[in-house]
Amino acid sequence: GEDVEQSLFLSVREGDSSVINCTYTDSSSTYLYWYKQEPGAGLQLLTYIFSNMDMKQDQRLTVLLNKKDKHLSLRIADTQTGDSAIYFCAESIGDYKLSFGAGTTVTVRA
Amino acid sequence: GAGVSQSPSNKVTEKGKDVELRCDPISGHTALYWYRQSLGQGLEFLIYFQGNSAPDKSGLPSDRFSAERTGGSVSTLTIQRTQQEDSAVYLCASSLAKGGSPLHFGNGTRLTVT
């Protein structure tokens, strides 16, 4: 089946690390993605990871993939107020489709 | 243009009227997608185009919804006889359609049916 689940809300203090978790169901997913959506805007691709990788780091972002448990996480180091947004996890389905979670709303407090 | 462009950005219509939503993908992107985002919900897949053909229309919620793409570029999503439950943000995305190519999204059209 195609079902991506993620917690709905996360509150974090400015300067701390944020960790957003996601579970997916399609074990054949080739790629897993993280998108960011700011108010009134579309989805912006943050990063993605190939399924044969365990970790990918890109500046303040670290993606961890546990393929056995079908668990994906996004860590944002030194969280800033500009990181407040909705973060979507997505898995690739077949050759072209992405299945998205409901999104995690991250609120950064001073 | 540099990114995916959608118009209008906002549309308010009366129940029962037809609406057309437009998407202009990134130049050279052969794959085009329509998704729907309802308040508090994730993204619901509607339809996928490869070139001008739509091999996957499985997400269209009813026969009131249709979409076309011409010239391998611009796409139009049409909703006939709109209902209040059609109110949502309609997002268009495009990609290179190669394995793993990420989807690039437009800013969406916010549709409100009164």
Side-chain angles (χ1 to χ4, degrees):
Chain A
E2 307 164 12
D3 198 6
V4 179
E5 294 190 354
Q6 44 183 136
S7 53
L8 293 182
F9 301 99
L10 176 67
S11 178
V12 61
R13 188 174 301 177
E14 189 175 10
D16 288 352
S17 292
S18 308
V19 179
I20 308 168
N21 294 301
C22 166
T23 57
Y24 61 97
T25 55
D26 190 345
S27 57
S28 64
S29 289
T30 308
Y31 292 90
L32 296 125
Y33 303 81
W34 284 105
Y35 282 84
K36 175 184 180 182
Q37 185 179 36
E38 297 183 20
L43 274 68
Q44 170 198 353
L45 177 69
L46 281 180
T47 186
Y48 62 104
I49 188 167
F50 189 49
S51 59
N52 68 353
M53 299 171 63
D54 298 325
M55 184 181 85
K56 180 178 180 181
Q57 188 153 2
D58 183 1
Q59 299 181 343
R60 293 191 297 121
L61 305 179
T62 303
V63 178
L64 295 178
L65 175 61
N66 181 327
K67 198 171 179 182
K68 173 177 170 290
D69 294 337
K70 300 191 191 71
H71 182 268
L72 183 75
S73 68
L74 175 69
R75 177 176 179 270
I76 306 173
D78 186 26
T79 311
Q80 303 298 306
T81 54
D83 295 324
S84 292
I86 304 175
Y87 291 80
F88 290 91
C89 169
E91 62 173 339
S92 62
I93 304 292
D95 292 333
Y96 59 87
K97 191 186 293 188
L98 296 189
S99 178
F100 289 83
T104 299
T105 299
V106 174
T107 303
V108 181
R109 59 188 194 277
Chain B
V4 177
S5 177
Q6 291 187 247
S7 61
S9 54
N10 280 285
K11 176 73 177 177
V12 180
T13 190
E14 290 181 354
K15 177 181 171 181
K17 296 282 179 71
D18 298 353
V19 295
E20 284 190 355
L21 312 181
R22 177 188 166 105
C23 172
D24 209 332
I26 293 172
S27 178
H29 279 193
T30 57
L32 187 145
Y33 306 76
W34 284 97
Y35 280 82
R36 179 167 71 175
Q37 184 178 24
S38 303
L39 188 63
Q41 302 293 315
L43 273 69
E44 176 188 6
F45 168 81
L46 298 179
I47 188 169
Y48 158 69
F49 285 93
Q50 178 56 250
N52 290 337
S53 64
D56 190 346
K57 307 178 184 180
S58 63
L60 294 178
S62 75
D63 59 8
R64 295 187 296 105
F65 287 72
S66 63
E68 65 174 12
R69 189 179 184 195
T70 55
S73 180
V74 172
S75 176
T76 303
L77 177 69
T78 301
I79 309 172
Q80 295 178 308
R81 304 181 301 282
T82 51
Q83 304 294 312
Q84 288 187 328
E85 61 263 28
D86 299 334
S87 296
V89 176
Y90 290 82
L91 291 165
C92 176
S94 68
S95 80
L96 287 170
K98 297 177 185 174
S101 294
L103 274 60
H104 297 266
F105 283 84
N107 285 339
T109 294
R110 180 174 297 279
L111 175 66
T112 303
V113 182
T114 61

Coordinates of all heavy atoms in Angstrom, one line a residue, chain A residues 8 30-31 33 35 37 39-45 48 50 86 88 92 95-103, chain B residues 33 35 37 40-43 45 48 55-56 58 89 91 97-108 110:
Chain A
L8 N 2.2 15.4 13.3 CA 1.6 16.6 12.8 C 2.3 17.9 13.2 O 2.3 18.9 12.5 CB 0.1 16.7 13.1 CG -0.8 15.6 12.4 CD1 -2.2 15.8 12.8 CD2 -0.6 15.6 10.9
T30 N 12.3 3.7 -4.4 CA 13.7 3.9 -4.7 C 14.2 5.2 -4.1 O 15.4 5.2 -3.8 CB 13.7 4.0 -6.3 OG1 13.1 2.9 -6.8 CG2 15.2 4.0 -6.7
Y31 N 13.4 6.2 -4.0 CA 13.8 7.5 -3.5 C 12.8 7.9 -2.4 O 11.6 7.7 -2.5 CB 13.9 8.5 -4.6 CG 14.9 8.3 -5.6 CD1 14.7 7.6 -6.8 CD2 16.2 8.8 -5.4 CE1 15.7 7.3 -7.7 CE2 17.2 8.6 -6.4 CZ 16.9 7.9 -7.5 OH 17.9 7.7 -8.4
Y33 N 11.9 11.6 -0.1 CA 12.1 13.0 -0.3 C 11.6 13.8 1.0 O 10.7 13.3 1.7 CB 11.3 13.5 -1.5 CG 11.6 12.9 -2.8 CD1 11.0 11.6 -3.1 CD2 12.4 13.5 -3.7 CE1 11.3 11.0 -4.3 CE2 12.7 12.9 -4.9 CZ 12.1 11.7 -5.2 OH 12.3 11.1 -6.5
Y35 N 10.2 17.7 1.5 CA 9.8 19.0 1.0 C 9.4 19.9 2.1 O 9.0 19.5 3.2 CB 8.6 18.8 0.0 CG 8.9 18.3 -1.3 CD1 9.0 16.9 -1.5 CD2 9.1 19.1 -2.4 CE1 9.3 16.4 -2.8 CE2 9.3 18.6 -3.7 CZ 9.4 17.3 -3.9 OH 9.7 16.8 -5.1
Q37 N 7.2 23.5 2.9 CA 6.1 24.4 2.4 C 6.0 25.6 3.3 O 5.6 25.4 4.5 CB 4.8 23.7 2.2 CG 3.7 24.6 1.6 CD 2.4 23.9 1.4 OE1 2.0 23.0 2.2 NE2 1.7 24.1 0.3
P39 N 4.0 29.4 4.2 CA 2.7 29.8 4.0 C 2.5 30.5 2.6 O 3.3 31.3 2.2 CB 2.5 30.9 5.1 CG 3.4 30.4 6.1 CD 4.6 29.8 5.4
G40 N 1.4 30.0 1.9 CA 1.1 30.6 0.6 C 1.9 30.2 -0.5 O 1.8 30.7 -1.7
A41 N 2.8 29.2 -0.3 CA 3.8 28.8 -1.3 C 3.6 27.4 -1.7 O 2.9 26.6 -0.9 CB 5.2 29.1 -0.9
G42 N 4.2 26.9 -2.8 CA 4.2 25.5 -3.1 C 5.2 24.8 -2.3 O 5.8 25.3 -1.3
L43 N 5.5 23.6 -2.7 CA 6.4 22.7 -2.0 C 7.8 22.9 -2.6 O 8.0 22.9 -3.8 CB 6.0 21.2 -2.1 CG 5.1 20.7 -1.0 CD1 3.7 21.4 -1.2 CD2 5.0 19.2 -1.1
Q44 N 8.8 23.1 -1.7 CA 10.2 23.3 -2.1 C 10.9 22.1 -1.8 O 10.9 21.6 -0.6 CB 10.7 24.6 -1.4 CG 12.2 24.8 -1.6 CD 12.7 25.7 -0.5 OE1 12.0 26.3 0.3 NE2 14.1 25.8 -0.4
L45 N 11.6 21.5 -2.8 CA 12.4 20.3 -2.5 C 13.6 20.7 -1.6 O 14.4 21.6 -1.9 CB 13.0 19.7 -3.8 CG 13.9 18.5 -3.6 CD1 13.1 17.3 -3.1 CD2 14.6 18.2 -4.9
Y48 N 16.8 14.7 -1.0 CA 16.2 13.4 -1.2 C 17.4 12.4 -1.0 O 18.5 12.7 -1.2 CB 15.5 13.3 -2.5 CG 16.3 13.5 -3.7 CD1 16.7 12.4 -4.5 CD2 16.6 14.8 -4.2 CE1 17.4 12.6 -5.7 CE2 17.3 15.0 -5.4 CZ 17.7 13.9 -6.1 OH 18.4 14.1 -7.3
F50 N 18.6 8.3 -1.9 CA 18.4 7.0 -2.6 C 18.3 5.9 -1.6 O 18.9 5.9 -0.6 CB 19.6 6.8 -3.6 CG 19.4 5.7 -4.5 CD1 18.3 5.5 -5.3 CD2 20.5 4.8 -4.7 CE1 18.2 4.5 -6.2 CE2 20.3 3.7 -5.6 CZ 19.2 3.6 -6.4
I86 N 5.9 23.8 7.0 CA 5.3 22.5 7.0 C 6.3 21.6 6.2 O 6.7 22.0 5.1 CB 3.9 22.4 6.4 CG1 3.0 23.3 7.1 CG2 3.4 20.9 6.5 CD1 1.6 23.4 6.5
F88 N 7.1 18.0 4.5 CA 6.5 16.8 3.9 C 7.5 15.7 3.6 O 8.5 16.0 2.9 CB 5.7 17.1 2.7 CG 4.5 17.9 2.9 CD1 4.5 19.3 2.8 CD2 3.2 17.3 3.1 CE1 3.4 20.1 3.0 CE2 2.1 18.1 3.3 CZ 2.2 19.5 3.3
S92 N 8.8 7.5 -3.3 CA 8.5 7.2 -4.7 C 7.7 5.9 -4.9 O 8.0 5.0 -4.2 CB 9.8 7.1 -5.5 OG 10.6 6.0 -5.1
D95 N 7.6 4.3 -11.2 CA 8.5 5.1 -11.9 C 8.3 6.6 -11.8 O 9.2 7.3 -12.1 CB 8.5 4.7 -13.4 CG 9.0 3.3 -13.6 OD1 9.8 2.8 -12.8 OD2 8.5 2.7 -14.6
Y96 N 7.1 7.0 -11.4 CA 6.9 8.5 -11.5 C 6.1 9.1 -10.4 O 6.1 10.3 -10.2 CB 6.1 8.7 -12.8 CG 4.8 8.0 -12.9 CD1 3.6 8.5 -12.4 CD2 4.7 6.7 -13.5 CE1 2.4 7.9 -12.4 CE2 3.5 6.0 -13.5 CZ 2.3 6.6 -13.0 OH 1.2 5.9 -13.0
K97 N 5.4 8.3 -9.6 CA 4.5 9.0 -8.6 C 5.2 9.1 -7.3 O 6.0 8.3 -6.9 CB 3.2 8.1 -8.5 CG 2.1 8.7 -7.7 CD 1.0 7.7 -7.5 CE 0.2 7.4 -8.8 NZ -1.0 6.6 -8.5
L98 N 4.8 10.2 -6.6 CA 5.2 10.3 -5.2 C 4.0 10.3 -4.3 O 2.9 10.8 -4.6 CB 5.9 11.7 -5.0 CG 7.2 12.0 -5.7 CD1 7.8 13.2 -5.2 CD2 8.2 10.8 -5.5
S99 N 4.1 9.6 -3.2 CA 3.1 9.5 -2.2 C 3.6 10.4 -1.0 O 4.7 10.1 -0.4 CB 2.8 8.1 -1.7 OG 1.8 8.1 -0.7
F100 N 2.7 11.3 -0.5 CA 3.1 12.3 0.5 C 2.5 12.0 1.8 O 1.3 11.5 1.9 CB 2.7 13.7 0.1 CG 3.6 14.3 -1.0 CD1 3.3 14.0 -2.4 CD2 4.6 15.1 -0.8 CE1 4.0 14.5 -3.4 CE2 5.4 15.6 -1.8 CZ 5.1 15.3 -3.1
G101 N 3.2 12.3 2.9 CA 2.5 12.3 4.2 C 1.7 13.6 4.4 O 1.7 14.4 3.5
A102 N 1.1 13.7 5.5 CA 0.2 14.9 5.8 C 0.9 16.1 6.2 O 0.4 17.2 6.3 CB -0.8 14.5 6.9
G103 N 2.2 16.0 6.4 CA 3.0 17.1 6.8 C 3.2 17.4 8.2 O 2.3 17.1 9.0
Chain B
Y33 N 2.3 16.9 -13.2 CA 1.5 16.3 -12.2 C 0.5 17.4 -11.7 O 0.9 18.6 -11.5 CB 2.3 15.8 -11.0 CG 3.4 14.9 -11.3 CD1 4.6 15.3 -11.9 CD2 3.3 13.5 -11.1 CE1 5.6 14.5 -12.2 CE2 4.3 12.6 -11.3 CZ 5.5 13.1 -11.9 OH 6.5 12.3 -12.1
Y35 N -1.8 17.8 -8.2 CA -2.1 17.3 -6.8 C -3.1 18.3 -6.2 O -3.2 19.5 -6.6 CB -0.8 17.3 -5.9 CG 0.1 16.1 -6.1 CD1 1.0 16.1 -7.2 CD2 0.1 15.0 -5.3 CE1 1.9 15.0 -7.3 CE2 0.9 13.9 -5.4 CZ 1.8 13.9 -6.4 OH 2.7 12.9 -6.6
Q37 N -4.4 19.8 -2.4 CA -4.1 19.9 -1.0 C -5.2 20.5 -0.2 O -5.5 21.7 -0.4 CB -2.8 20.7 -0.7 CG -2.3 20.8 0.7 CD -1.0 21.6 0.9 OE1 -0.7 22.4 0.1 NE2 -0.3 21.3 1.9
G40 N -5.2 20.9 6.2 CA -4.8 19.9 7.2 C -4.5 18.5 6.6 O -4.2 17.6 7.3
Q41 N -4.6 18.4 5.3 CA -4.4 17.1 4.6 C -3.0 17.1 3.9 O -2.5 18.1 3.7 CB -5.5 16.8 3.6 CG -6.9 16.8 4.2 CD -7.1 15.7 5.2 OE1 -6.7 14.6 4.9 NE2 -7.6 16.0 6.3
G42 N -2.6 15.9 3.6 CA -1.4 15.8 2.7 C -1.8 16.1 1.3 O -2.8 16.6 1.0
L43 N -0.9 15.7 0.4 CA -1.2 16.0 -1.0 C -1.8 14.7 -1.6 O -1.3 13.6 -1.5 CB 0.2 16.3 -1.7 CG 0.6 17.7 -1.7 CD1 1.0 18.1 -0.3 CD2 1.7 17.9 -2.7
F45 N -2.8 12.9 -5.0 CA -2.5 12.8 -6.4 C -3.7 12.8 -7.3 O -4.7 12.1 -6.9 CB -1.7 11.5 -6.7 CG -1.5 11.1 -8.1 CD1 -0.5 11.7 -8.9 CD2 -2.3 10.2 -8.7 CE1 -0.4 11.4 -10.2 CE2 -2.2 9.9 -10.0 CZ -1.2 10.5 -10.8
Y48 N -1.3 12.4 -13.9 CA 0.1 12.5 -14.3 C 0.1 12.5 -15.8 O -0.6 11.7 -16.5 CB 0.9 11.2 -13.8 CG 2.1 10.9 -14.6 CD1 3.2 11.7 -14.5 CD2 2.2 9.7 -15.3 CE1 4.4 11.3 -15.2 CE2 3.3 9.3 -15.9 CZ 4.4 10.1 -15.9 OH 5.6 9.7 -16.6
P55 N -1.1 8.8 -18.8 CA -1.2 7.4 -18.5 C -1.8 7.1 -17.1 O -2.1 5.9 -16.9 CB 0.3 6.9 -18.6 CG 1.1 8.1 -18.3 CD 0.3 9.3 -18.8
D56 N -1.9 8.0 -16.3 CA -2.4 7.8 -14.9 C -3.4 8.9 -14.5 O -2.9 10.0 -14.2 CB -1.3 7.7 -13.9 CG -1.8 7.2 -12.5 OD1 -3.0 7.2 -12.3 OD2 -0.9 6.8 -11.7
S58 N -5.7 8.1 -12.2 CA -6.4 7.4 -11.2 C -6.9 8.3 -10.0 O -7.8 7.9 -9.3 CB -5.5 6.3 -10.7 OG -4.4 6.8 -10.1
V89 N -6.3 23.7 -2.3 CA -5.2 24.3 -3.1 C -4.8 23.2 -4.1 O -4.6 22.1 -3.8 CB -4.0 24.7 -2.2 CG1 -2.8 25.1 -3.1 CG2 -4.4 25.7 -1.2
L91 N -2.2 22.0 -6.7 CA -0.7 22.2 -7.0 C -0.3 21.5 -8.2 O -0.8 20.3 -8.5 CB 0.1 21.7 -5.8 CG 0.0 22.4 -4.5 CD1 0.5 21.6 -3.3 CD2 0.8 23.7 -4.6
A97 N 11.2 13.4 -15.5 CA 10.7 12.1 -15.7 C 11.8 11.0 -15.8 O 11.5 9.9 -16.4 CB 9.8 12.0 -17.0
K98 N 12.9 11.3 -15.3 CA 13.9 10.2 -15.2 C 13.8 9.7 -13.8 O 13.4 10.4 -12.9 CB 15.3 10.8 -15.5 CG 15.5 11.3 -16.9 CD 16.9 11.9 -17.0 CE 17.1 12.6 -18.4 NZ 18.4 13.3 -18.5
G99 N 14.3 8.4 -13.6 CA 14.2 7.8 -12.3 C 14.8 8.7 -11.2 O 16.0 9.0 -11.3
G100 N 14.0 9.0 -10.2 CA 14.5 9.8 -9.1 C 14.5 11.3 -9.3 O 14.8 12.0 -8.4
S101 N 14.1 11.7 -10.5 CA 14.0 13.2 -10.7 C 13.0 13.8 -9.8 O 11.8 13.3 -9.8 CB 13.6 13.5 -12.2 OG 14.7 13.1 -13.0
P102 N 13.3 14.7 -9.0 CA 12.4 15.3 -8.1 C 11.3 16.1 -8.8 O 11.5 16.6 -9.9 CB 13.2 16.1 -7.1 CG 14.4 16.5 -7.9 CD 14.7 15.3 -8.9
L103 N 10.2 16.2 -8.1 CA 9.1 17.1 -8.6 C 9.4 18.5 -8.2 O 9.7 18.8 -7.0 CB 7.8 16.6 -8.1 CG 7.0 15.5 -8.8 CD1 7.8 14.2 -8.9 CD2 5.7 15.3 -8.2
H104 N 9.1 19.4 -9.1 CA 9.2 20.9 -8.8 C 7.8 21.4 -8.8 O 7.2 21.3 -9.9 CB 10.1 21.6 -9.8 CG 11.5 21.0 -9.8 ND1 12.5 21.7 -9.1 CD2 12.1 20.0 -10.4 CE1 13.7 21.0 -9.2 NE2 13.5 20.0 -10.0
F105 N 7.4 22.1 -7.7 CA 6.1 22.5 -7.6 C 5.9 24.0 -7.9 O 6.8 24.8 -7.6 CB 5.6 22.3 -6.2 CG 5.2 20.8 -5.9 CD1 6.2 19.9 -5.5 CD2 3.9 20.4 -6.0 CE1 5.9 18.6 -5.3 CE2 3.6 19.1 -5.7 CZ 4.6 18.2 -5.4
G106 N 4.7 24.3 -8.4 CA 4.3 25.7 -8.4 C 3.7 26.2 -7.1 O 3.7 25.4 -6.2
N107 N 3.3 27.4 -7.0 CA 2.8 27.9 -5.8 C 1.3 27.6 -5.6 O 0.7 27.9 -4.5 CB 2.9 29.5 -5.7 CG 4.4 29.8 -5.4 OD1 5.1 29.0 -4.9 ND2 4.8 31.0 -5.8
G108 N 0.7 27.0 -6.6 CA -0.7 26.5 -6.4 C -1.8 27.5 -6.7 O -1.5 28.8 -6.8
R110 N -5.4 28.5 -5.1 CA -6.3 28.3 -4.0 C -7.7 28.5 -4.5 O -8.1 29.6 -4.9 CB -6.1 29.3 -2.9 CG -7.0 29.1 -1.7 CD -6.6 30.0 -0.5 NE -5.3 29.7 0.0 CZ -5.0 28.7 0.9 NH1 -6.0 27.9 1.3 NH2 -3.8 28.4 1.3

